[in-house]
């Protein structure tokens, strides 16, 4: 572990401790919620880093499986605790929000930072284009049950069945495409392992355990905190949960853009959105069957629409083959307008 | 005629005979429907093959006209018989279904088979991109009356007029673009005629006549069969009619992908979707004026939405310049979810 | 000034005089409206020409500011007079109509003329692609308040706030991206100034002043004229106002296509759509706060949908890297169907 790893680990420990204090000492919900969100974001980053270290030790094919399975742990924990409390809308908007946060906000920040530092960046790798295509296709599949529910009366009566069918198709597609494709996502970095196996497993286990604990506190504080702040559950899921649980982790993508490796930045960021659509979402749909209120893929209509728009835009900005900081600024602006649309509650 | 042609012809004859027996011997509607669907698929393939043979004998410009006009005969027959029985929704969903079946399902199968056999396939021909663009544009035009009807009250009152206007525009665009563009679709194969003119005309006439007969039986069995199977009329049109009447014929496109000629595969498959949008659909709209219930371009809303999504996705997967079998798998998955959305009836 | 400039100036003067006569001599509203529309189209062209001349004398960065600010003057005048008369729907549809008229109709005409004269045209400049991307992104932002209003009940109650937030974001994006990007739009022509500074300022001032006067007459005649013609206010804004106030000016783009400079043609035409989305629209939203009825970005739903379609199609036809006259014909056909959808009034 280098100095920076140790600093990150230290910050993680402090944030978890602070979240624990806020939770058990009955801090105001807003404070407890805010600290827990920061702690989760840091833990998601640590889990991401540790799975990547693990990946460098495994064959590339096993690495793909491990990274997909473990990298999404923090968001999975939050989803399970939220489902347990019946907060299905928060979970739905967090899933869609993860796709949007990555493919619009984080990608926008990568373009902004990369463009400001290095001028116009060109990316011509077919791999980045292919990931964008697959993400757009997967997001389209994900949006169909909602569209069917909103615009086709006969299907609306069978929302749950259609939703399970769709989740099954996504999961099959994940397992079918996993060996050949997703594994390729991280191997290109080509760096040797920086952590010993013992350290890697220790950090991974510790961070995952801490993520499970903090997720519980986070979800407990979520409802009172959002009410105190006047934000809707949709906004909490779409923006706060999605950014803390999934998107902050992809700051690494922004760093790649800053170091003028735009192809790799795009692959990392968009691949994360792809995994949410192909793996995490159907997994949670099936998991929800064991809870009192099950979760369907029938999202609030606007959520499905912005999912489609975000997916289309991802392909658009990747296909044009170059990025400028202006393009990044407009993406960030788009994200802010999408987020604002969900601020108000019912 | 080579051995394979003879086998196909034989299968066609057997299927037509079986469909006749099923029809006249009062087989269960499901059986009669199933056999008639298989017979139509085979006849559509024979008509397609014969018009292609005819095309190799004509100047390329005349070939374009002939192929467009005759290649869509089987689906036209089905549409006319269905209109005669007042099954306008089946016809509408069959038209949209032909576009979707070609540009999502058949294209997906071509990517799947082509990728599994030949690895990642690259296609850089501007022609494939141009056909994809034109198809997306034509599908957008086709979707507008429905969108206007669903989201703009004043236009909803004038659905029929707007629909006829739109059909007129599509037909004009077909005739205007025909000489310069569509004809190019099949000439590239550059193969000499394999059948004598007599054989060609004989197969064409015979298959077309048989298609007319079988279409009648197919439509007669459609309503009782779909009711017995619990599927909606929308599903019957979108999936069964579209695949039997138009998409199976494009198996030739999948064969081109398998032989590692992805550019040509894409051109053949997407060109078929383009002809449905530009020629077959407006033709049937105008033809329907001579029937008791006329057909408008005001589709069920979800149908227009999936048409737009399919059109956009066609351009997407063609523009990214390469295909993998994973991309094909996701396209097939998308098709299955779209189809499932229409399973249930009102 | 060359002979052609003088002819254009003369036509402008005659049309303004004719519009004045029609206005003050109580001509039938249809006649007054038609002449005023022609006069505005000519004045918009003169203002556009004069700002371009001014641009060649300024540093490229100042030129960008000046051209963006002054080039949109005629449409701004119409919007202000229309707001003053409470015709908010005309203004809304004129803004969306300007984007659509440029990115579908004028671009289509450029492809049609360019293709007919020069055969298939290829454009590979990243700049044209980048402008198309930014326009699509900006149009997506612009469409979000309407989508939120139509498909998300909680946001519908806060339409005005969301609309102002969105307008603020667009305006910030305009000013942020202006120095680095928009200025590049016209400098490429690389022609020396043809008019003296005195002539330029004179034409600019005169044409702007005349545009202000004629806009008033145009708006006065608009309501009675459209009623007499049986067209809706939406159609008047989307088609007539948008073409007269913004699109005719971009005939220069069609001329570039005719002279086989497709990259430049696309830049000019799509850049105009971009400026309407990023600058003119939010400016009018804020200006409307000083009028009795304020204008929001909550458009009629179909208007936002066609805006999104037009934006997506712009990227599509630019990304495919070549244009044919057939593609142009289909774009013009698409525009005619969109326009027809808005013909009927409530």
């Amino acid at each position: 572990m280098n100095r920076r790893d140790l600093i990150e680990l230290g910050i993680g420990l402090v944030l978890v401790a602070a979240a624990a204090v806020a939770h058990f000492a009955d801090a105001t919900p807003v404070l407890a919620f805010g600290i827990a969100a920061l702690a989760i974001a840091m833990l998601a980053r640590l889990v991401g880093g540790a799975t990547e270290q693990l990946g460098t030790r495994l064959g590339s094919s096993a690495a793909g499986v491990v990274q997909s399975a473990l990298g999404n742990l923090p968001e999975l924990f939050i989803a399970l605790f939220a489902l347990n409390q019946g907060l299905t809308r928060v979970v739905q908007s967090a899933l869609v929000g993860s796709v949007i946060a990555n493919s619009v906000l984080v990608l926008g920040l990568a373009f902004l930072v990369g463009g400001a530092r290095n001028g116009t960046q060109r990316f011509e790798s077919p791999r980045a284009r292919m990931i964008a295509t697959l993400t757009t296709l997967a997001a389209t599949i994900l949006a169909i049950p909602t569209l069917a529910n909103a615009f086709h009366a006969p299907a609306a009566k069978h929302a749950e069945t259609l939703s399970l069918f769709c989740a099954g198709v996504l999961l099959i597609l994940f397992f079918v495409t996993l060996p050949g494709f997703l594994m390729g996502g991280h191997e290109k970095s080509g760096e040797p392992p920086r952590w010993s196996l013992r350290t890697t497993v220790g950090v991974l286990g510790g961070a995952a355990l801490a993520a499970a604990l903090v997720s519980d506190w986070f979800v407990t504080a979520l409802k009172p905190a959002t009410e105190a702040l006047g934000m809707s559950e949709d906004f909490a899921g779409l923006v706060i949960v999605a950014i803390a649980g999934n998107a902050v982790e992809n700051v690494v993508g922004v760093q790649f853009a800053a170091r003028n490796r735009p192809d790799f930045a795009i692959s990392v960021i968009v691949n994360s959105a792809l995994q949410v659509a192909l793996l995490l979402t159907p997994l949670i749909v099936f998991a929800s069957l064991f809870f009192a209120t099950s979760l369907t893929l029938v999202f609030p209509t606007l959520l499905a629409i912005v999912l489609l728009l975000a997916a289309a835009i991802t392909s658009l900005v990747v296909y044009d083959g170059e990025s400028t900081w202006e393009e990044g600024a407009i993406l960030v602006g788009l994200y802010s307008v999408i987020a604002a649309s969900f601020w108000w509650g019912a």
Side-chain angles (χ1 to χ4, degrees), chain A:
Chain A
M1 291 195 127
N2 61 21
R3 199 187 146 92
R4 183 160 161 187
D5 292 332
L6 288 172
I7 292 175
E8 290 196 352
L9 209 59
I11 295 176
L13 282 172
V14 170
L15 283 172
V16 171
V21 170
H23 178 71
F24 291 110
D26 282 325
T28 63
V30 173
L31 189 67
F33 182 65
I35 296 177
L38 291 175
I40 285 173
M42 199 65 226
L43 291 169
R45 195 165 152 75
L46 288 171
V47 169
T51 52
E52 207 176 333
Q53 288 297 314
L54 200 60
T56 58
R57 304 187 159 269
L58 300 167
S60 60
S61 150
V65 184
V66 166
Q67 291 182 10
S68 300
L70 299 183
N72 288 304
L73 268 187
E75 197 162 18
L76 184 64
F77 287 140
I78 300 176
L80 295 179
F81 282 111
L83 280 177
N84 194 38
Q85 300 213 6
L87 299 169
T88 48
R89 258 186 100 140
V90 173
V91 179
Q92 287 185 323
S93 48
L95 290 168
V96 173
S98 295
V99 177
I100 295 175
N102 282 306
S103 63
V104 179
L105 178 63
V106 182
L107 199 59
L109 289 173
F111 287 0
L112 197 54
V113 171
R117 280 238 191 141
N118 311 298
T120 300
Q121 295 187 303
R122 284 186 183 73
F123 32 91
E124 290 300 337
S125 82
R127 181 172 161 76
R129 280 208 302 277
M130 182 55 73
I131 294 181
T133 307
L134 298 188
T135 304
T136 304
L137 291 176
T140 306
I141 294 179
L142 206 52
I144 291 204
T146 309
L147 297 174
N149 188 65
F151 298 111
H152 194 61
K157 282 176 238 151
H158 301 271
E160 203 165 336
T161 314
L162 181 59
S163 176
L164 286 173
F165 178 80
C166 183
V169 168
L170 286 168
L171 218 50
I172 292 170
L173 290 174
F174 174 76
F175 285 113
V176 161
T177 59
L178 185 68
F181 194 76
L182 290 177
M183 61 173 198
H186 295 270
E187 62 182 313
K188 264 196 198 163
S189 81
E191 288 162 15
R194 242 172 35 228
W195 299 356
S196 71
L197 185 57
R198 181 177 299 226
T199 307
T200 304
V201 172
V203 170
L204 187 56
L209 188 73
L213 287 171
V214 181
S215 292
D216 184 13
W217 310 336
F218 178 70
V219 170
T220 304
L222 190 144
K223 215 178 157 99
T226 54
E227 275 168 15
L229 291 165
M231 74 171 69
S232 69
E233 286 189 12
D234 288 343
F235 186 89
L238 187 86
V239 179
I240 314 282
V241 179
I243 291 180
N246 188 293
V248 164
E249 175 191 352
N250 293 315
V251 157
V252 66
V254 179
Q255 290 164 348
F256 280 117
R259 281 184 239 142
N260 212 4
R261 296 184 62 186
D263 281 296
F264 199 44
I266 291 171
S267 293
V268 167
I269 295 166
V270 181
N271 198 42
S272 177
L274 179 58
Q275 287 187 26
V276 171
L278 276 190
L279 174 65
L280 190 62
T281 304
L283 215 61
I284 289 174
V285 168
F286 286 115
S288 81
L289 296 175
F290 300 98
F291 288 84
T293 36
S294 69
L295 180 130
T296 72
L297 293 178
V298 174
F299 305 125
T301 311
L302 185 61
L303 215 49
I305 293 175
V306 295
L307 174 64
L308 281 176
L309 293 178
I313 278 167
T314 306
S315 283
L316 204 72
V317 298
V318 172
Y319 280 29
D320 76 358
E322 62 172 46
S323 68
T324 58
W325 72 264
E326 287 89 352
E327 197 177 351
I330 299 194
L331 282 170
V332 173
L334 173 61
Y335 182 79
S336 75
V337 174
I338 290 175
S341 305
F342 287 96
W343 175 263
W344 299 281

